[in-house]
Amino acid sequence: MDAPVLPMPAPLCLVNNRDGVLSLDPKALAVLQEVAQPLVVVAIAGPYRTGKSFLMNRLAQKRSGFPLGPTVHAETKGIWMWCLPHPRRQGVTLVLLDTEGLGDPKKDDDDSDAWIFTLALLLSSTLVYNSIGTIDQRALEQLRLVTELTEHIRVREENDNPASNFVRIFPGFVWTVRDFTLQLRAGEKALSEDEYLEDVLRLQTGDGKKAKERNELRRCLRNFFPHRKLFTMERPAADADLPRLEELREDELQPGFRKQVDAFCRYIWEEAPVKVLPGGHEVTGSVLAGLAEKYVAAITNGAVPCVESAVTALARAENKAAVEAAVAEYQRGMEQGLVLPTPSHSALMAVHQDCVQRAITLFLSRAFADHERQYHAELVCKLEAAKEEFCQRNEEASEQRCHAVLQELWRDVELRLQNGDYVAPGGAQLFKEDLDRVLEEYKRRPDKGVKAEAVLEVFLREREGLAHVLKATEVQLELAERQREAAAAEAEAAQKAAEARLEEQRRTVEEHKRQLEQQLKEEQRAWLEEQQRVLEHHKKEYEALVREGFKREAAAMQELITQLQKEKKKMEFPICERNSQLHNHGHSSASNAGPALPGDQQGQRAVPQLHGAGCAAQCHPALGGGGYRWAVPHWE
């Protein structure tokens, strides 16, 4: 598990807003880059001077932090960020984003509110909208920005931008209404807070311009935010105490207000989800920082932020980093797990298999949107190259060890050669006995490694001239026989090493295939769950439209539901069947040839063979109409 995030002592400004020009603060980005845990990102927006910062401080379980301010002037400018350990979930970081108030009359830039609201929405997994008084037409009008979101956000890179796509990327929506004094009743019937919200969002009858404008806002809220929650809160304290709200003790706050705020905090802590990208990948600090950079860059360049293009650009950098991190993890594990030279090639391969599995697991935990498995293939190649480097180092260490042993054992023979002991009568037999002693001792010496026989053969071949020097046929025959024995042993060892290498490559491919198919199944499961949530949301909206008598809108919603059901059905059959269908498309092996790996033998491939983008378009429907496509690899 990743180390817990260190608590930030106070919030930092993430997005500066100076005279309508947005920029990111490097210090806040640096803090985010260090957070490796998944993030629950809660942003708050709403009219200025309505108490947003107070609620965020309560979520942080602090009495102060985000500035409250006792005057009519807005205190928060831009977007401020506070990263904290999640109070309910281990291994998760809570990120609070406090935004500057909407509708501040001192603002000169009319677009500022829209872009701040857009950023809060795009960066968060739960958006809290904070208002004051009651939910009447005026309160709804203050949310007019919602109807303009299609002009400020693009989901896909293509020109079409249907509103039905927005439900896939928008956060959960929580509306907090402060200083609420009404009774939650409809006639004699008591209403829950959520029932009151849904009643307010009911479409109004009528064909006039006013009715259409009001219904457009309600329709946007209903369509964009399938997960809606309302909290009403009474006035926190007497009017005289409001300017020093930050200093009040708990018992000085109204009991009802304390209870309502506690319910709001519990809901956020327990229900606010981890932020995920399209496809279900959990957002970490570095990913959120990357998204913020992409979106702010688009806004400052006069463009409309596009979720798909931001995710694609971010994925390239993150996947490249994931490959490098996985290779580093593999190399670190091999360095720690190996003592060179290893007794055998299989001993090295045992450590390799464990390290490669950990490396792939790390890569899959960080990689996302690798739809054509480009980075997965790159990882396979780099791991194979790293393995070959360790094999080379292992052989070099073995050769050095064997040479050292033979030099030590041959030292006495050298002395006898210098003294002429082997040219005296009986010298040939004496040489044979000494040679046998050297070879037997060489075999007994441990830790010689995988090149023991090869080094011995070369060593004996280098001493072929001794027979001529000693003028002894027996010596020549003995050396020749020993060379043959060493050569035969080396050939047998080489054959076993080749077989072991092929078996190791097969196991590596199987491990890659197993983990990749597991990831594909997880992606499929996440997409089907997302599609089911979207379907359930649209079905509820369809039923509401029928109840409210909007037949034309209900018919259009039914068409959308039918299309979504067809897309879901296409993706429901198992991954293995989809792989089989891909094989049956008739792609030639030549056109799908993968990159050669170090150590390939007789054309043996140890990497997944990947389809190109054209094949992906044939084999898979766009995920939920969002343009995201999978290309399932062939395993040759």
Side-chain angles (χ1 to χ4, degrees):
M1 179 181 294
D2 295 311
V5 62
L6 295 176
M8 290 172 59
L12 289 174
C13 184
L14 175 63
V15 180
N16 291 299
N17 181 14
R18 293 190 177 92
D19 300 323
V21 178
L22 304 183
S23 63
L24 289 165
D25 190 287
K27 291 182 180 178
L29 289 177
V31 170
L32 275 181
Q33 291 285 357
E34 295 299 317
V35 182
Q37 295 177 337
L39 307 181
V40 171
V41 187
V42 180
I44 193 166
Y48 82 112
R49 308 308 303 138
T50 54
K52 299 186 301 298
S53 299
F54 178 84
L55 286 182
M56 298 304 269
N57 288 338
R58 299 290 287 206
L59 286 175
Q61 299 179 298
K62 306 289 185 181
R63 294 187 62 84
S64 61
F66 293 110
L68 303 187
T71 71
V72 296
H73 296 290
E75 290 291 323
T76 304
K77 292 294 184 182
I79 299 178
W80 287 69
M81 176 192 77
W82 206 351
C83 298
L84 301 158
H86 198 286
R88 294 289 191 273
R89 302 181 215 175
Q90 291 290 329
V92 174
T93 295
L94 177 63
V95 178
L96 302 177
L97 301 179
D98 189 15
T99 68
E100 67 177 78
L102 307 175
D104 186 349
K106 293 186 177 295
K107 290 182 185 177
D108 296 327
D109 182 22
D110 294 337
D111 291 332
S112 180
D113 281 353
W115 288 128
I116 292 294
F117 187 80
T118 297
L119 284 173
L121 186 145
L122 287 173
L123 297 177
S124 64
S125 55
T126 295
L127 177 67
V128 179
Y129 181 75
N130 188 74
S131 65
I132 198 164
T134 185
I135 304 181
D136 52 17
Q137 189 57 40
R138 179 174 175 274
L140 289 171
E141 288 295 332
Q142 290 177 323
L143 258 176
R144 178 61 57 184
L145 285 171
V146 172
T147 64
E148 302 170 0
L149 287 174
T150 55
E151 301 173 11
H152 292 92
I153 299 172
R154 300 201 68 80
V155 179
R156 303 173 58 188
E157 294 176 348
E158 287 85 350
N159 291 330
D160 60 318
N161 201 34
S164 58
N165 281 337
F166 285 78
V167 69
R168 299 180 182 279
I169 65 166
F170 276 17
F173 183 77
V174 177
W175 196 334
T176 53
V177 183
R178 310 289 291 277
D179 297 356
F180 187 80
T181 57
L182 299 180
Q183 292 185 350
L184 292 176
R185 305 188 67 84
E188 297 298 321
K189 179 186 176 183
L191 297 177
S192 68
E193 291 170 314
D194 291 340
E195 287 172 336
Y196 171 60
L197 176 60
E198 296 309 306
D199 186 63
V200 169
L201 297 182
R202 187 185 302 275
L203 298 185
Q204 298 180 357
T205 58
D207 296 325
K209 181 180 178 181
K210 285 290 185 183
K212 288 182 179 180
E213 290 178 353
R214 292 173 178 178
N215 282 344
E216 177 64 16
L217 175 57
R218 288 169 169 82
R219 190 177 292 112
C220 287
L221 287 170
R222 285 162 53 156
N223 289 340
F224 293 167
F225 302 105
H227 304 291
R228 302 183 290 271
K229 183 73 177 172
L230 176 67
F231 289 94
T232 60
M233 301 175 187
E234 64 181 59
R235 205 166 183 78
D239 290 348
D241 292 327
L242 290 179
R244 58 185 192 91
L245 194 58
E246 197 175 69
E247 305 169 5
L248 296 181
R249 301 188 311 270
E250 281 294 299
D251 59 4
E252 293 180 294
L253 296 173
Q254 296 290 351
F257 176 77
R258 292 204 310 267
K259 182 179 178 180
Q260 292 155 348
V261 170
D262 289 346
F264 163 76
C265 291
R266 282 196 308 272
Y267 176 84
I268 296 296
W269 293 333
E270 296 170 5
E271 302 296 334
V274 167
K275 183 170 178 60
V276 296
L277 297 176
H281 182 78
E282 293 184 337
V283 170
T284 60
S286 62
V287 175
L288 188 68
L291 289 175
E293 289 176 322
K294 301 298 180 187
Y295 294 145
V296 171
I299 293 170
T300 54
N301 290 330
V304 176
C306 175
V307 175
E308 185 180 48
S309 60
V311 170
T312 300
L314 186 60
R316 285 196 292 267
E318 288 293 317
N319 289 344
K320 187 175 179 62
V323 170
E324 298 304 322
V327 172
E329 174 66 20
Y330 172 83
Q331 291 174 328
R332 183 165 48 250
M334 292 289 279
E335 294 286 358
Q336 294 174 352
L338 289 176
V339 177
L340 301 181
T342 59
S344 64
H345 181 73
S346 59
L348 185 146
M349 287 302 101
V351 179
H352 160 77
Q353 286 294 335
D354 179 62
C355 292
V356 80
Q357 183 174 352
R358 294 207 306 269
I360 297 171
T361 300
L362 174 63
F363 169 77
L364 293 179
S365 71
R366 293 184 54 174
F368 64 94
D370 186 16
H371 306 304
E372 295 181 10
R373 305 301 161 188
Q374 168 190 349
Y375 295 95
H376 190 275
E378 180 182 338
L379 173 63
V380 173
C381 292
K382 288 192 173 185
L383 290 179
E384 185 69 15
K387 183 204 72 176
E388 289 301 316
E389 182 182 343
F390 277 101
C391 288
Q392 180 66 30
R393 287 172 54 188
N394 191 42
E395 291 180 358
E396 292 172 356
S398 174
E399 289 178 352
Q400 292 175 4
R401 167 68 177 162
C402 292
H403 283 304
V405 170
L406 285 170
Q407 288 174 3
E408 175 192 342
L409 297 177
W410 194 252
R411 190 173 298 119
D412 290 342
V413 178
E414 287 285 355
L415 289 174
R416 289 197 168 193
L417 283 169
Q418 294 171 9
N419 294 334
D421 293 353
Y422 299 132
V423 295
Q429 179 62 32
L430 179 61
F431 178 80
K432 180 179 182 302
E433 291 172 355
D434 285 349
L435 180 61
D436 287 343
R437 176 184 55 78
V438 169
L439 296 181
E440 288 300 319
E441 180 62 23
Y442 179 75
K443 290 181 180 178
R444 284 195 294 268
R445 288 293 179 94
D447 304 326
K448 295 189 298 296
V450 297
K451 300 295 287 184
E453 301 300 336
V455 171
L456 178 60
E457 183 198 357
V458 173
F459 177 83
L460 293 173
R461 191 185 310 121
E462 290 172 347
R463 281 147 185 81
E464 287 177 350
L466 282 176
H468 301 291
V469 173
L470 300 178
K471 300 178 181 179
T473 304
E474 295 91 339
V475 172
Q476 184 179 11
L477 293 175
E478 181 68 19
L479 283 170
E481 178 62 25
R482 294 297 188 175
Q483 285 178 32
R484 283 194 295 272
E485 291 176 358
E490 166 60 13
E492 182 181 0
Q495 177 64 25
K496 289 182 178 179
E499 293 173 355
R501 190 182 299 271
L502 290 175
E503 175 62 20
E504 171 270 319
Q505 287 183 342
R506 185 193 66 78
R507 288 198 305 267
T508 298
V509 168
E510 288 299 316
E511 177 60 24
H512 281 279
K513 179 181 178 181
R514 182 190 67 80
Q515 293 207 31
L516 182 55
E517 287 190 347
Q518 181 179 346
Q519 187 193 43
L520 288 172
K521 290 177 181 177
E522 179 60 26
E523 289 179 357
Q524 181 193 38
R525 182 198 61 78
W527 183 85
L528 289 173
E529 286 184 356
E530 177 188 318
Q531 191 79 340
Q532 186 60 36
R533 288 194 297 271
V534 173
L535 274 169
E536 290 174 357
H537 163 62
H538 287 317
K539 286 177 180 178
K540 289 180 181 178
E541 184 62 18
Y542 168 77
E543 294 169 358
L545 290 170
V546 171
R547 283 196 311 271
E548 295 166 10
F550 292 86
K551 295 181 180 180
R552 185 173 56 188
E553 290 83 352
M557 184 63 68
Q558 182 60 60
E559 289 182 10
L560 176 59
I561 291 170
T562 301
Q563 179 61 32
L564 293 174
Q565 288 172 331
K566 289 179 181 178
E567 292 174 0
K568 182 171 180 284
K569 189 174 182 180
K570 288 179 183 178
M571 293 297 293
E572 281 180 337
F573 56 93
I575 292 292
C576 57
E577 293 180 26
R578 190 148 59 247
N579 274 330
S580 175
Q581 286 195 4
L582 284 171
H583 280 292
N584 292 333
H585 281 321
H587 302 289
S588 67
S589 59
S591 65
N592 287 317
L597 293 179
D600 278 358
Q601 300 187 19
Q602 300 177 353
Q604 180 87 10
R605 294 293 186 188
V607 295
Q609 308 301 301
L610 303 180
H611 289 294
C615 180
Q618 270 189 315
C619 299
H620 286 281
L623 293 185
Y628 303 101
R629 300 182 185 275
W630 291 351
V632 180
H634 283 185
W635 294 89
E636 305 291 358

